[in-house]
Amino acid sequence: MKVRVLTERASPRFRILLLRIWFPFPRGKGLGVRFFAPTAARFTSTIHAPQQTPSLAVEYISSTRENFAMIDFRTDPSSYRHWRLTFAGPVATLAMDVDENGGLAPGYDLKLNSYDLGVDLELSDAVNRLRFEHPEVKCVIVTSAKDRVFCAGANIRMLGLSTHPFKVNFCKFTNETRNAMEDATLNSDQYYMTAIGGPCAGGGYELALATDYIMMADDGSTNVSLPEVALLGVLPGTGGLTRLVDKRRVRRDRADFFCTIEEGVRGKRAVDWELVDEVVPRSQLAEAASRRALEFAAHANASPHARGISLPKLAREIEDRRLKYAHLTIDLDRGNSTATFTIDGPQAPAPRTVDDVLSLGADFWPLAIARELEDAILHLRFNEETLRTWIFRSRGDPAMVKSHDAFLAANENDWLIREIRLYLKRTLKRLDVSSRSLFALIDPGSCFCGTLLELALASDRTYMMRGVRDGDEATPASITLTEMNFGAMPMCNGLTRLESRFQGRPESLDDLRSRIGQPLDASIADELGLVTFTPDDIDWDDEVRLAIEERAAFSSDALTGMEASLRFGGPETLESKIFARLSAWQNWIFQRPNAVGEKGALKLYGTGARPEFDPRRV
Amino acid sequence: MKVRVLTERASPRFRILLLRIWFPFPRGKGLGVRFFAPTAARFTSTIHAPQQTPSLAVEYISSTRENFAMIDFRTDPSSYRHWRLTFAGPVATLAMDVDENGGLAPGYDLKLNSYDLGVDLELSDAVNRLRFEHPEVKCVIVTSAKDRVFCAGANIRMLGLSTHPFKVNFCKFTNETRNAMEDATLNSDQYYMTAIGGPCAGGGYELALATDYIMMADDGSTNVSLPEVALLGVLPGTGGLTRLVDKRRVRRDRADFFCTIEEGVRGKRAVDWELVDEVVPRSQLAEAASRRALEFAAHANASPHARGISLPKLAREIEDRRLKYAHLTIDLDRGNSTATFTIDGPQAPAPRTVDDVLSLGADFWPLAIARELEDAILHLRFNEETLRTWIFRSRGDPAMVKSHDAFLAANENDWLIREIRLYLKRTLKRLDVSSRSLFALIDPGSCFCGTLLELALASDRTYMMRGVRDGDEATPASITLTEMNFGAMPMCNGLTRLESRFQGRPESLDDLRSRIGQPLDASIADELGLVTFTPDDIDWDDEVRLAIEERAAFSSDALTGMEASLRFGGPETLESKIFARLSAWQNWIFQRPNAVGEKGALKLYGTGARPEFDPRRV
């Protein structure tokens, strides 16, 4: 393994070179950061060049990167640099207290509780841990630990220094974190509310919008605002526009006005316009929020004696061409631009009782595989941008997966099993919105049953081998539907992957339901429409190889737009609108000279210089 | 008025300069093209530069253009260069026969029935005229008049030569044309079907997808394909992806495969995959299509003796700062980047009977205003890209508008009145998806009643004057709801503008319905939530001026994304998904180096050179 810190500066004149933030080594506690070197790069030969301004700490490096600093998404409260998590009976408080000097990369200070990915991945961790480790918590107050500000939103200098792929991935992740908060409010009896004292701008207000109740201090300096359009020439990137009109039902003309003023709205008008739910005197904010939180907590379904399980640090090994977890191995093939996920099914049947699961804790296979898949998805999204196709394989005994699925179905009302199901749901949703081509390969020895079958159903294409390989004594591949395929894990558009696949054909779904538990071989799976192609062993290698090579040769942008369009046929929800309509517009704007050109608003923000805009409307 | 043909070439090195197609003088019959000179440009002073390759016929001109060739959307069958429209009883045939040398701009040949805006605006005209001039037609066969090809889609060279704003506007218009075909099938008893003989690629297949029945010849050379991703590094730009999965319910994995192969799908597989509805032997295509068309026609609701009305060429005058129609005047203020629409209400009450409307024909006020507004919207979109804010005013007697609305409501079952209502609906939809800020100014003397009130409800903001101007003896402004505001003219998301405005508040809608016909003054309109701000005459001028100036100072891209997000809260439909999800992705891709960079796929298409792609997935 080649490990080298990036020390040379690359030439900005070299046309293929692209801007990237340089991620530092870990500083004391906080995010673990390692270095990792992908293999041969297409354009690296000329990358040796003059010194850049060191204060910017920006490196121009090739798009396939000789050197690369890895982002690690694993953290825990003892390592948080930016959040304080405290508990008072059924109420937890998540107080934002961003360490100005704790940015994930050099070149910007996280002033005024502005955030970067490092801040948000702690939030994401906290939201997830609260569900598993603190089931006694029924209401979570999101607030600021700083006196004079709630949150200034995503750090603008950080955005200005970031590459386009990083910006897009950053926004996607922060969106997923906010969706997870809403999922907790809706499905986990952990109600999120916000208490705002001090200015709450941009991403700060979008964070508040992801909670279901917004309380705000009524004073001269506290307000909510979405100043992105006016100040930065971009959109609020974390669902703000959609949540304004679709969640809070703010009238569209008021939303228009609100989104074009820098100074925001405060006090009574904020309530009248439904931008917040309540204003209280500043001096009473903390107390009023606690009181309100207890009210929300009192309305929650009781599960008073639930004890949580802990989520220990996920074990994994990272090598140059392999990423290895307990039940998941990912082989990285940079030549073919693929990452091949091999999931190991459980070795034994499900435990008998929920108490047994409590004892197993994070080792319970469905929970373990959810955690490993989630970490792998995030790792690959951020740290392996050039691996353009993710391939899913599995190995193991389908009967063991089936046993676990039966257990998850039978105990869905238990809080812990509910949380595991929700975690699986959220993880699979991350897959649907990942801008990677997804292929599933179903061959002898695989165990694509129920929950694992969702990986195939989430894929853009599925290849299933007909028969066995010549000389192989294995049983031909089969797939198996379980109860888990029929509602436990909907996509962000509200449909299950089967519903999405068979839109407008309810009779197909009825037929499939009648086959729950039956092993379906390639020819039946094909007939039922569950797989795309079913080559035999003679054609298999060539057909799969060609499909993968072909995929690697396409424009990755066209694939992103195509996949985002084909994966989400049918209805839209707030979530799907955020990932589609809003994110696509934001991605477009993030490319436009008006935002990121030399004289663009995002580029010039904070310099005192005025942006210059192309006067044409597009 | 300054009129000058563009003869100088501009410097590609000047950073603000942008690529634009040069539109030629009219050539014989065909599109009328005039020249028109906007006032002072911000960046024009340095625009004098070296000769470009003349064959490309591309001009680098400033973003506010010293010279400008106008596109005229008015046409009629006697002027068509690219379509043959024929009739046989209840069946019309629209045969594509693109004149290779009839491109709207030089620099490309419209080979293989490929199309540009000039081709599509004839199609749009034909679809509209069929409804009004040929109500006896119950089925329209879209086909090709060329033996060896159906349609090769949008002309790639044309796209490669076009500016980003032009590409975006071109796609929007072609989408609207296809939506109008579906509207005719669904609501006008004019069923559109396609008969494909020969390759049908890209935009050609998207045209077919907009019809409700696709018949295809079963021979070796006829196929359907969407080769954009594989060949051009962009998306099918005219709804193809959305219609595949949302309209035809093609399974997403099959759609994925189909959208990544250049060679397309033919014969039985095309039927099995639901890409087409029927294949017939090539020799029987014409006959089979006619037979099928007669079957569809037989199912249509009868209106056998309806005689059509003709749509004469729309009269208008274009001056440097004014565009004038019979009932609509548009003042162009390039300093403030605004176009102010002043709509004149009808001078008299509605006629008594539908026969009177038949006599009036295109002079019937609601039809006249629909035509004028539509032409103005298209003119401003394409020919006045820098007028970023459209302001709506009206003048006249609200009682006269109310009388016409009552007539439109009372006679909704008559075919002609139905068509006029549908035309109004489609025209207002064009407004919703126009990437311009829309403001309505409601002051004394205005007549924002019913149908005209929709212009205010479509606006991003509405200012209504409280009281009258000092010294003015006019009655204070009022607005009036009519039956037409409650269902006749839904937006593309399926909601009326009132439903969209009061989402989740059905009680507001009930209250509004009870006020149909009542003049509502500023204070009541404010209370009911129908207007945004209600300044009195003292504040009016400043408040309106500031809002307009402020709007002109923002990044136009950020405004586009913001408005597209705030205007369409709530549910999504096939149409809204095309304009939002799909178009936004396409716009993004249209900006990406993988498509339009020097080595991008769209740029290099047809040169023989291979594109080079950034290997990162974003």
Side-chain angles (χ1 to χ4, degrees):
Chain A
M1 190 173 134
K2 200 166 145 194
V3 178
R4 189 158 68 85
V5 182
L6 184 63
T7 51
E8 287 161 337
R9 315 279 170 156
S11 164
R13 283 165 299 171
F14 187 50
R15 309 204 77 175
I16 309 297
L17 300 179
L18 292 146
L19 192 65
R20 257 201 76 83
I21 294 177
W22 174 63
F23 294 106
F25 275 114
R27 287 178 271 190
K29 66 177 182 174
L31 295 160
V33 176
R34 296 174 54 176
F35 284 85
F36 178 51
T39 50
R42 231 164 125 191
F43 306 118
T44 46
S45 53
T46 59
I47 305 175
H48 300 286
Q51 195 75 7
Q52 299 297 308
T53 318
S55 72
L56 278 181
V58 166
E59 307 293 344
Y60 292 86
I61 60 171
S62 94
S63 54
T64 44
R65 297 191 301 265
E66 175 77 356
N67 299 280
F68 189 77
M70 204 185 76
I71 302 171
D72 189 342
F73 288 83
R74 298 171 306 171
T75 185
D76 67 80
S78 72
S79 306
Y80 292 174
R81 293 186 77 163
H82 308 296
W83 292 90
R84 296 192 202 160
L85 180 53
T86 53
F87 300 89
V91 176
T93 299
L94 249 173
M96 198 175 200
D97 192 12
V98 176
D99 176 355
E100 205 171 304
N101 303 311
L104 197 56
Y108 54 88
D109 300 325
L110 295 174
K111 288 182 181 160
L112 299 172
N113 264 358
S114 64
Y115 62 83
D116 68 356
L117 180 64
V119 177
D120 215 69
L121 67 83
E122 291 181 4
L123 174 62
S124 176
D125 181 75
V127 172
N128 201 39
R129 279 182 195 280
L130 278 166
R131 314 167 83 121
F132 284 97
E133 302 188 344
H134 297 278
E136 78 284 2
V137 167
K138 297 299 174 195
C139 184
V140 182
I141 302 173
V142 178
T143 192
S144 166
K146 297 201 195 302
D147 261 353
R148 294 171 54 185
V149 67
F150 176 78
C151 168
N155 187 278
I156 306 309
R157 195 150 177 77
M158 176 278 295
L159 286 176
L161 292 171
S162 297
T163 62
H164 185 65
F166 182 84
K167 277 203 283 284
V168 169
N169 264 323
F170 168 70
C171 288
K172 188 174 285 172
F173 180 78
T174 53
N175 271 317
E176 289 172 321
T177 305
R178 279 134 199 82
N179 293 345
M181 290 163 58
E182 289 181 326
D183 184 53
T185 296
L186 191 63
N187 298 312
S188 299
D189 276 321
Q190 284 187 340
Y191 190 99
Y192 278 76
M193 62 170 281
T194 310
I196 301 173
C200 170
Y205 181 50
E206 291 181 292
L207 178 61
L209 285 169
T211 71
D212 272 36
Y213 193 84
I214 306 177
M215 179 181 283
M216 183 166 76
D218 192 5
D219 63 18
S221 70
T222 299
N223 59 47
V224 293
S225 66
L226 290 176
E228 284 86 345
V229 171
L231 282 184
L232 306 170
V234 299
L235 300 186
T238 326
L241 300 180
T242 304
R243 284 201 175 82
L244 272 188
V245 292
D246 275 288
K247 180 179 180 180
R248 298 194 63 93
R249 316 273 196 176
V250 173
R251 228 173 60 205
R252 52 168 286 202
D253 55 338
R254 288 175 167 170
D256 177 272
F257 180 76
F258 174 64
C259 295
T260 56
I261 53 172
E262 295 172 29
E263 65 274 23
V265 172
R266 62 189 172 86
K268 183 171 175 304
R269 180 180 255 192
V271 178
D272 288 347
W273 283 22
E274 307 181 71
L275 298 167
V276 306
D277 294 288
E278 182 181 6
V279 287
V280 299
R282 177 62 182 259
S283 58
Q284 296 165 27
L285 180 65
E287 194 197 323
S290 293
R291 204 166 48 236
R292 193 63 83 189
L294 285 170
E295 283 172 31
F296 291 130
H299 287 116
N301 289 313
S303 52
H305 302 299
R307 80 187 145 93
I309 63 165
S310 68
L311 300 177
K313 186 166 187 176
L314 202 57
R316 69 177 190 196
E317 290 166 31
I318 297 191
E319 298 164 16
D320 185 23
R321 300 189 186 186
R322 178 165 287 189
L323 194 61
K324 198 157 171 24
Y325 302 86
H327 309 279
L328 169 63
T329 305
I330 299 175
D331 292 295
L332 315 176
D333 180 344
R334 297 203 173 75
N336 271 324
S337 304
T338 60
T340 301
F341 292 58
T342 303
I343 296 108
D344 289 311
Q347 302 285 322
R352 278 186 36 246
T353 68
V354 172
D355 277 345
D356 296 336
V357 175
L358 279 166
S359 308
L360 279 171
D363 290 334
F364 181 52
W365 181 84
L367 175 55
I369 201 69
R371 295 185 74 205
E372 294 176 8
L373 275 171
E374 179 181 57
D375 188 71
I377 290 168
L378 296 175
H379 174 84
L380 293 174
R381 272 197 203 156
F382 280 89
N383 299 315
E384 296 286 356
E385 293 169 342
T386 63
L387 299 184
R388 284 175 283 176
T389 304
W390 292 352
I391 298 166
F392 296 99
R393 311 186 76 134
S394 65
R395 59 190 178 200
D397 182 353
M400 300 297 115
V401 185
K402 193 166 144 185
S403 161
H404 280 79
D405 271 17
F407 185 88
L408 294 178
N411 296 286
E412 64 173 321
N413 294 321
D414 175 79
W415 77 269
L416 177 57
I417 304 306
R418 178 196 68 205
E419 285 311 322
I420 293 168
R421 290 163 56 114
L422 291 171
Y423 199 171
L424 285 163
K425 176 191 76 172
R426 292 194 305 277
T427 301
L428 285 159
K429 278 186 183 181
R430 288 194 195 266
L431 209 54
D432 300 322
V433 300
S434 289
S435 59
R436 298 293 192 280
S437 295
L438 308 176
F439 283 10
L441 302 183
I442 305 175
D443 57 357
S446 65
C447 57
F448 284 102
C449 167
T451 298
L452 289 188
L453 183 61
E454 289 292 316
L455 295 170
L457 295 172
S459 293
D460 300 303
R461 282 190 215 171
T462 309
Y463 292 82
M464 183 168 182
M465 192 185 289
R466 202 178 278 267
V468 296
R469 286 190 177 84
D470 195 31
D472 192 343
E473 292 183 14
T475 316
S478 69
I479 58 175
T480 314
L481 293 158
T482 72
E483 197 60 49
M484 289 293 285
N485 301 118
F486 291 85
M489 296 172 289
M491 302 166 68
C492 71
N493 62 2
L495 299 184
T496 65
R497 289 176 191 81
L498 283 177
E499 284 167 345
S500 177
R501 194 173 186 87
F502 298 104
Q503 279 182 68
R505 295 186 185 81
E507 71 286 358
S508 296
L509 289 174
D510 291 343
D511 183 19
L512 292 174
R513 193 175 263 284
S514 74
R515 292 170 192 264
I516 285 179
Q518 300 170 14
L520 308 170
D521 68 19
S523 104
I524 297 171
D526 185 30
E527 202 178 294
L528 293 172
L530 291 169
V531 295
T532 319
F533 297 112
T534 56
D536 61 19
D537 72 314
I538 296 169
D539 293 333
W540 177 268
D541 286 344
D542 276 350
E543 195 166 331
V544 168
R545 181 180 53 76
L546 284 173
I548 291 168
E549 285 176 6
E550 182 193 72
R551 206 75 174 191
F554 293 146
S555 155
S556 58
D557 306 319
L559 286 177
T560 294
M562 182 189 87
E563 291 157 0
S565 297
L566 298 180
R567 287 178 189 169
F568 300 100
E572 301 263 352
T573 62
L574 188 139
E575 263 185 58
S576 71
K577 287 174 81 168
I578 288 172
F579 285 117
R581 181 186 276 274
L582 184 58
S583 295
W585 282 119
Q586 179 77 311
N587 287 5
W588 175 67
I589 293 163
F590 271 161
Q591 283 283 291
R592 299 278 294 153
N594 286 341
V596 296
E598 285 307 311
K599 305 208 164 174
L602 195 58
K603 207 73 169 182
L604 293 182
Y605 181 73
T607 63
R610 282 176 69 92
E612 280 185 26
F613 294 133
D614 180 341
R616 296 175 299 175
R617 283 292 305 248
V618 181
Chain B
M1 189 173 134
K2 199 166 146 196
V3 177
R4 190 159 67 86
V5 181
L6 183 62
T7 51
E8 287 162 336
R9 314 280 170 155
S11 164
R13 284 165 302 172
F14 186 49
R15 310 205 77 175
I16 309 297
L17 299 180
L18 291 146
L19 193 65
R20 256 201 75 81
I21 294 177
W22 173 62
F23 294 105
F25 275 114
R27 287 176 273 187
K29 66 177 182 175
L31 294 158
V33 177
R34 295 174 55 175
F35 282 85
F36 178 51
T39 50
R42 226 164 130 195
F43 306 118
T44 46
S45 54
T46 59
I47 305 176
H48 300 289
Q51 197 74 7
Q52 299 296 307
T53 319
S55 71
L56 277 179
V58 167
E59 307 291 346
Y60 292 86
I61 59 172
S62 95
S63 54
T64 43
R65 298 190 301 265
E66 177 76 356
N67 299 280
F68 189 76
M70 203 184 76
I71 303 171
D72 190 342
F73 288 83
R74 298 172 304 170
T75 185
D76 67 80
S78 73
S79 307
Y80 292 174
R81 293 185 78 164
H82 308 295
W83 292 91
R84 298 192 203 159
L85 180 54
T86 54
F87 301 89
V91 176
T93 299
L94 248 173
M96 198 175 200
D97 192 12
V98 175
D99 176 354
E100 206 170 302
N101 303 311
L104 197 56
Y108 54 88
D109 299 325
L110 295 174
K111 288 182 181 161
L112 298 171
N113 263 358
S114 64
Y115 60 83
D116 68 356
L117 180 65
V119 177
D120 215 69
L121 69 80
E122 291 182 5
L123 174 61
S124 175
D125 180 76
V127 172
N128 201 40
R129 279 182 195 281
L130 277 165
R131 315 168 84 121
F132 284 96
E133 302 188 345
H134 298 279
E136 78 284 1
V137 168
K138 297 299 175 195
C139 183
V140 182
I141 302 172
V142 177
T143 193
S144 165
K146 297 203 195 300
D147 260 353
R148 294 172 55 186
V149 67
F150 175 78
C151 167
N155 188 278
I156 306 307
R157 196 151 175 78
M158 176 277 294
L159 286 176
L161 293 171
S162 297
T163 61
H164 185 66
F166 182 85
K167 277 203 284 284
V168 169
N169 263 324
F170 168 69
C171 288
K172 188 173 285 172
F173 180 78
T174 54
N175 271 316
E176 290 172 321
T177 304
R178 278 135 200 83
N179 293 344
M181 289 163 59
E182 289 182 326
D183 183 54
T185 296
L186 190 64
N187 298 312
S188 298
D189 275 321
Q190 283 187 340
Y191 189 99
Y192 277 76
M193 62 170 282
T194 310
I196 301 172
C200 169
Y205 181 49
E206 291 181 292
L207 177 61
L209 284 168
T211 71
D212 272 35
Y213 194 85
I214 306 177
M215 179 182 282
M216 183 165 76
D218 191 5
D219 63 18
S221 70
T222 298
N223 59 47
V224 293
S225 66
L226 290 176
E228 285 86 345
V229 171
L231 283 184
L232 306 170
V234 299
L235 300 186
T238 326
L241 300 180
T242 304
R243 284 200 175 83
L244 271 189
V245 292
D246 276 288
K247 181 180 181 181
R248 297 194 62 92
R249 315 271 197 178
V250 173
R251 228 174 59 206
R252 52 167 284 204
D253 55 338
R254 287 175 167 169
D256 177 272
F257 180 78
F258 174 64
C259 295
T260 56
I261 53 172
E262 295 172 27
E263 65 272 24
V265 171
R266 61 189 172 85
K268 184 172 173 302
R269 179 180 253 190
V271 178
D272 288 346
W273 284 23
E274 308 180 70
L275 298 167
V276 307
D277 294 288
E278 181 181 8
V279 287
V280 299
R282 177 63 182 259
S283 58
Q284 295 166 29
L285 179 65
E287 193 198 324
S290 294
R291 203 165 48 235
R292 192 64 82 190
L294 285 169
E295 283 172 31
F296 291 130
H299 287 117
N301 289 313
S303 51
H305 303 299
R307 79 186 146 92
I309 62 164
S310 68
L311 300 178
K313 186 167 187 175
L314 202 57
R316 69 177 191 197
E317 291 166 28
I318 297 190
E319 299 165 13
D320 185 24
R321 301 188 184 187
R322 179 166 287 192
L323 192 62
K324 199 160 170 24
Y325 302 87
H327 309 279
L328 169 64
T329 305
I330 300 175
D331 292 295
L332 315 176
D333 179 344
R334 297 202 173 75
N336 272 324
S337 304
T338 60
T340 300
F341 292 59
T342 303
I343 296 108
D344 289 310
Q347 303 285 323
R352 277 189 37 249
T353 68
V354 172
D355 277 346
D356 295 335
V357 175
L358 279 166
S359 308
L360 279 170
D363 290 334
F364 180 51
W365 180 85
L367 176 55
I369 201 68
R371 295 185 74 203
E372 294 176 8
L373 274 170
E374 178 181 58
D375 188 71
I377 290 167
L378 297 175
H379 173 84
L380 293 174
R381 272 196 205 158
F382 280 89
N383 300 316
E384 296 286 356
E385 294 170 342
T386 63
L387 299 183
R388 285 175 282 176
T389 304
W390 292 352
I391 298 166
F392 297 99
R393 312 186 75 132
S394 65
R395 59 189 179 203
D397 182 352
M400 299 298 117
V401 185
K402 192 167 144 186
S403 159
H404 280 79
D405 271 15
F407 185 88
L408 294 177
N411 296 286
E412 63 174 323
N413 293 321
D414 175 79
W415 77 269
L416 176 58
I417 304 306
R418 178 196 69 205
E419 286 309 324
I420 292 168
R421 290 164 57 115
L422 291 171
Y423 199 171
L424 285 163
K425 175 191 75 172
R426 292 194 305 277
T427 301
L428 285 159
K429 279 186 183 181
R430 289 194 196 267
L431 209 54
D432 300 321
V433 299
S434 290
S435 58
R436 299 292 193 279
S437 296
L438 307 177
F439 283 9
L441 302 182
I442 305 175
D443 58 356
S446 65
C447 57
F448 284 103
C449 167
T451 298
L452 289 188
L453 182 60
E454 290 292 316
L455 295 170
L457 296 172
S459 293
D460 299 304
R461 283 190 213 171
T462 309
Y463 292 83
M464 183 167 182
M465 192 185 288
R466 202 177 278 268
V468 295
R469 288 189 177 82
D470 194 31
D472 193 344
E473 292 185 13
T475 316
S478 68
I479 58 175
T480 314
L481 293 158
T482 73
E483 197 59 50
M484 289 294 284
N485 301 117
F486 291 85
M489 295 172 290
M491 303 165 67
C492 71
N493 62 2
L495 300 184
T496 65
R497 290 176 190 80
L498 283 177
E499 285 166 344
S500 178
R501 194 174 185 87
F502 298 104
Q503 279 184 67
R505 297 189 184 79
E507 71 286 359
S508 296
L509 289 175
D510 290 344
D511 182 21
L512 292 175
R513 192 175 264 285
S514 74
R515 294 169 190 266
I516 285 179
Q518 302 170 13
L520 308 170
D521 67 19
S523 103
I524 297 172
D526 186 29
E527 200 178 297
L528 293 173
L530 292 168
V531 294
T532 319
F533 297 112
T534 56
D536 62 20
D537 74 314
I538 296 170
D539 294 331
W540 176 268
D541 286 343
D542 277 349
E543 196 166 331
V544 167
R545 182 179 54 76
L546 283 173
I548 291 167
E549 285 176 6
E550 181 192 70
R551 206 75 174 190
F554 293 144
S555 155
S556 57
D557 306 319
L559 286 177
T560 295
M562 182 190 86
E563 291 156 0
S565 297
L566 298 180
R567 287 177 189 170
F568 299 100
E572 301 264 351
T573 62
L574 189 139
E575 262 184 59
S576 71
K577 286 174 79 168
I578 289 172
F579 285 118
R581 182 186 276 273
L582 184 58
S583 295
W585 282 119
Q586 179 77 310
N587 286 6
W588 176 67
I589 293 163
F590 271 161
Q591 283 282 292
R592 299 277 295 154
N594 285 341
V596 296
E598 284 309 310
K599 306 209 163 174
L602 195 59
K603 207 72 170 184
L604 293 183
Y605 181 74
T607 63
R610 283 176 68 93
E612 280 185 26
F613 294 133
D614 179 342
R616 296 175 299 174
R617 284 293 305 249
V618 182

